[in-house]
Amino acid sequence: MKNILLLVGSPRKEKSTSNSLGEYLLNEFKDEDFNTKKVFLHYKKQIKKQEILDNIDWADLIILSFPLYVDCLPADVIKNLEIIKDEYNSNQNKYFFAISNCGFPESHHNNTALKICKQFAIEMNWEWRGSLAVGMGAAINGSQLIEPKGMVKNIIQELDNVYDKLAHTDDLIKGSAAPSIPQWLYILMGNMGWRYQALKNGVWNELKDKPYKK
Amino acid sequence: MNALLFNGAKADDEYTNNIGKEIIDVGNKEGWEIDSIILRDKKIGPCRGCFNCWVKTPGQCIIKDGAQEVVQKIVNKDLLIYLTPITFGGYSYHLKKVLDRSIGIILPFFRKVKGEVHHKMRYTQYPYLLGVGIDYSDERNNAQLFEKLIERNSLNFEVDGFESMVIRPDTNKEDIQSELIVSFRNVGETV
């Protein structure tokens, strides 16, 4: 295993928590002289489809990092997985690992989406290497993960653990982590954050509007 | 009783499209008025993850395309039916593109449901969910995973209960009709 491909499944691309998590893991591979590439799965031009298929062909290990949308993978990620399933026909053995992050405090909200990723790997005849479920993704908010300290200490420690297993063992990985923040504080900060943004946008009083009520 | 059917089939997926007709047929006979939307015909772009539907135009997505017309129908229905070819145990792209664009119908704030955190409701009432998955694979995990996803989605709507059925192309028509009748009647008793 020498070629590692990161697929980032967030429309927020470089600014996303999916990118932060995937990039940290990818850099660990890079530091140990693996070949690495990164591709964003939200794109407009049809030409990108072939680029993705070519990169899949190049890769030995594919890491998919995405945000949880409605208990599942974002639509554009599903579209790409459908394309890969329909159009990538090689029998080469590949390894597949998935990272899902959600805005909820509990990381287990990601479990159904990660099982869908496992099912994709099964249907591709790829080897499922496991997953990492991340809660409180909003606390990372797309920031670069550098050192295992502060509220991201748990996350970085778990990513280091994932890297070690992915790069040096055949173990099936079932990781989960969330920033070290009490649940009540995360919820309080989140609720204040939404209100602050609404205030800035001049819609404080409309936050709970019901535009579609008949 | 009003239902909304989201048909997430691809254009060449004749079997799923025929099941869509069957759902309408059975539903009508059971006293349901069904508004059916073929999602592949709607120009609906992907969610941008901007959360402006919560903090800039509360309750409505800022992207002006076919999604708003579809999403606004959800909150005024008694039953929402997801019809989809089961895709790795979950939804097709065509179905999921609408669900991603519908998060404005709930609030950004959190509440606890059955011991875990979910978003608060924007409206007082949401539709009951019926998931109809077409399973073309021989993957034994698919039915279980599909049902789990419907269950998780129904928690987001704070609706007590859900209906889920998985149909394989070799399922006979009478069995499909019987199961649909049971589902429509079960939901009918709750609304």
Side-chain angles (χ1 to χ4, degrees):
Chain A
M1 188 175 83
K2 58 179 181 181
N3 295 339
I4 317 298
L5 174 66
L6 171 65
L7 301 175
V8 179
S10 170
R12 297 180 68 201
K13 299 182 181 175
E14 292 90 346
K15 294 176 183 169
S16 68
T17 299
S18 304
N19 185 61
S20 308
L21 296 163
E23 181 86 4
Y24 182 88
L25 204 50
L26 201 64
N27 284 337
E28 294 202 290
F29 279 103
K30 206 183 285 180
D31 290 345
E32 269 201 45
D33 292 330
F34 287 88
N35 303 317
T36 61
K37 283 187 187 178
K38 179 168 77 174
V39 174
F40 293 101
L41 293 180
H42 287 72
Y43 51 87
K44 286 178 181 166
K45 292 176 184 167
Q46 193 63 19
I47 197 166
K48 193 78 181 275
K49 183 173 93 175
Q50 193 53 48
E51 187 188 326
I52 285 171
L53 293 171
D54 290 345
N55 281 316
I56 293 285
D57 196 51
W58 168 85
D60 301 310
L61 167 66
I62 297 146
I63 300 167
L64 172 63
S65 182
F66 63 92
L68 189 75
Y69 279 14
V70 198
D71 302 303
C72 196
L73 297 82
D76 266 19
V77 178
I78 295 172
K79 182 168 76 177
N80 278 281
L81 298 188
E82 286 178 353
I83 289 169
I84 294 167
K85 174 80 191 324
D86 291 344
E87 300 190 25
Y88 184 71
N89 296 314
S90 168
N91 290 325
Q92 285 178 55
N93 187 38
K94 296 192 185 295
Y95 301 98
F96 190 61
F97 182 80
I99 305 169
S100 176
N101 75 88
C102 67
F104 297 109
E106 308 101 334
S107 59
H108 71 251
H109 283 270
N110 297 294
N111 289 356
T112 310
L114 291 168
K115 284 179 185 167
I116 287 171
C117 294
K118 179 182 177 183
Q119 192 59 32
F120 167 75
I122 290 169
E123 294 188 28
M124 289 301 295
N125 283 320
W126 293 351
E127 191 170 323
W128 173 242
R129 289 300 322 271
S131 60
L132 173 62
V134 176
M136 299 192 195
I140 300 171
N141 197 26
S143 58
Q144 195 182 2
L145 299 172
I146 302 168
E147 286 180 65
K149 62 181 186 184
M151 69 177 182
V152 294
K153 184 179 171 186
N154 292 352
I155 303 281
I156 290 185
Q157 283 176 342
E158 192 65 352
L159 282 165
D160 289 344
N161 188 30
V162 164
Y163 169 72
D164 197 40
K165 286 182 177 171
L166 271 179
H168 306 125
T169 75
D170 295 325
D171 295 354
L172 179 68
I173 301 158
K174 203 168 180 193
S176 67
S180 334
I181 309 167
Q183 193 181 100
W184 66 267
L185 183 60
Y186 177 78
I187 292 172
L188 180 71
M189 297 292 283
N191 288 347
M192 284 170 62
W194 298 121
R195 288 183 198 283
Y196 175 67
Q197 288 183 64
L199 184 66
K200 271 204 314 185
N201 291 326
V203 293
W204 170 278
N205 291 323
E206 291 81 36
L207 251 178
K208 294 184 178 177
D209 271 7
K210 299 174 172 60
Y212 299 144
K213 190 173 184 335
K214 279 187 181 166
Chain B
M1 297 181 293
N2 295 307
L4 178 62
L5 168 60
F6 282 165
N7 182 339
K10 289 180 183 170
D12 61 358
D13 185 353
E14 199 179 336
Y15 185 77
T16 302
N17 288 310
N18 285 337
I19 294 295
K21 290 174 193 157
E22 198 65 47
I23 291 169
I24 295 168
D25 211 35
V26 172
N28 288 160
K29 284 177 186 156
E30 290 295 314
W32 287 85
E33 194 179 306
I34 300 178
D35 184 358
S36 171
I37 301 176
I38 312 284
L39 296 171
R40 65 177 175 277
D41 294 341
K42 298 287 177 187
K43 191 173 177 290
I44 295 173
C47 172
R48 294 177 189 162
C50 64
F51 299 119
N52 282 329
C53 59
W54 281 340
V55 296
K56 198 165 189 177
T57 52
Q60 296 184 80
C61 181
I62 56 159
I63 306 169
K64 303 297 176 202
D65 61 10
Q68 288 199 351
E69 174 210 340
V70 174
V71 170
Q72 67 177 307
K73 292 176 184 239
I74 297 175
V75 292
N76 296 302
K77 294 291 188 291
D78 299 310
L79 170 65
L80 177 58
I81 306 166
Y82 294 164
L83 170 64
T84 176
I86 297 182
T87 306
F88 317 120
Y91 304 141
S92 68
Y93 160 68
H94 286 299
L95 174 58
K96 192 65 189 357
K97 69 185 181 186
V98 175
L99 305 188
D100 288 356
R101 294 283 303 282
S102 70
I103 63 161
I105 64 170
I106 55 175
L107 290 170
F109 307 115
F110 285 140
R111 72 197 156 104
K112 277 215 167 178
V113 182
K114 296 180 179 174
E116 64 180 25
V117 175
H118 286 265
H119 288 285
K120 284 186 178 174
M121 302 292 95
R122 181 179 296 278
Y123 296 90
T124 48
Q125 202 178 330
Y126 289 80
Y128 207 94
L129 280 189
L130 163 60
V132 182
I134 311 300
D135 188 3
Y136 289 111
S137 73
D138 297 322
E139 296 295 335
R140 59 192 164 88
N141 300 329
N142 272 353
Q144 209 179 356
L145 197 45
F146 181 74
E147 184 170 311
K148 188 71 190 172
L149 188 52
I150 297 288
E151 182 189 356
R152 297 295 301 172
N153 281 183
S154 72
L155 283 174
N156 299 336
F157 282 172
E158 209 173 40
V159 175
D160 195 15
F162 64 95
E163 294 285 323
S164 169
M165 60 186 281
V166 171
I167 298 169
R168 293 188 174 80
D170 59 357
T171 312
N172 76 55
K173 196 174 173 179
E174 289 73 28
D175 289 346
I176 294 169
Q177 288 172 335
S178 306
E179 206 172 335
L180 282 170
I181 289 169
V182 171
S183 289
F184 277 116
R185 288 183 185 174
N186 284 346
V187 181
E189 285 169 12
T190 67
V191 297

